[in-house]
Amino acid sequence: MLDVVIKKDHLKVGVKGHAPLVEGALSEGVKVDDSMWAIEGGTVELNLVKVDGMHWWSRVLATDEPIDVQKVEPENSKLSDLDAETRQTVEKMMFDQRQKAMGLPTSEEMQRQEMMKKFMASHPEMDFSNAKMM
């Protein structure tokens, strides 16, 4: 029997009744409800879904030695090969990267600006002349 515990900021993997094989604080948060584990061909596979999936982790556990993610060569793949959710995430990352390179707002910044415009339009009685927009 395996003992696998995935928490937002902690991971434990081992055999029940024995010391854990892996245990410690995660270097970054994970979405617990979306993360899972399975045994495939005698190997334990963990699928940890990052809270902030917009960058690569330099390590899994906070105590692990970091790697230089700039040296990692991602596999070449076509967007059409990806599942819908992954493709949407990659396209959003590409869009945001292009926007930043041109000095324009990212998709999240655009969304915040739109929300602020709607709020301002629905509250004309308020003075926003000295408001700092981020």
Side-chain angles (χ1 to χ4, degrees), residues 54-92:
M54 300 303 281
H55 67 279
W56 289 22
W57 287 1
S58 62
R59 61 182 111 201
V60 176
L61 297 180
T63 55
D64 290 341
E65 190 69 29
I67 63 167
D68 184 354
V69 296
Q70 300 300 317
K71 292 182 178 178
V72 176
E73 296 274 340
E75 291 181 17
N76 284 335
S77 62
K78 298 176 186 170
L79 285 176
S80 59
D81 293 342
L82 303 174
D83 63 82
E85 184 179 352
T86 304
R87 181 178 177 162
Q88 183 179 11
T89 301
V90 170
E91 288 175 340
K92 180 181 181 292

Side-chain angles (χ1 to χ4, degrees), residues 4-19:
V4 179
V5 179
I6 302 171
K7 295 183 179 176
K8 182 178 190 263
D9 56 1
H10 191 87
L11 176 66
K12 178 177 150 187
V13 180
V15 178
K16 283 191 191 273
H18 298 285

Side-chain angles (χ1 to χ4, degrees), residues 62-131:
T63 55
D64 290 341
E65 190 69 29
I67 63 167
D68 184 354
V69 296
Q70 300 300 317
K71 292 182 178 178
V72 176
E73 296 274 340
E75 291 181 17
N76 284 335
S77 62
K78 298 176 186 170
L79 285 176
S80 59
D81 293 342
L82 303 174
D83 63 82
E85 184 179 352
T86 304
R87 181 178 177 162
Q88 183 179 11
T89 301
V90 170
E91 288 175 340
K92 180 181 181 292
M93 289 171 66
M94 291 168 59
F95 173 81
D96 288 343
Q97 197 171 34
R98 282 192 304 272
Q99 291 292 99
K100 280 184 181 181
M102 294 186 293
L104 299 172
T106 64
S107 56
E108 289 179 9
E109 292 167 340
M110 290 167 58
Q111 192 175 22
R112 281 192 296 251
Q113 288 173 355
E114 189 59 33
M115 286 174 55
M116 189 59 158
K117 284 180 188 175
K118 287 180 182 177
F119 181 80
M120 290 168 66
S122 63
H123 295 284
E125 72 281 1
M126 297 178 75
D127 179 18
F128 295 97
S129 60
N130 292 323

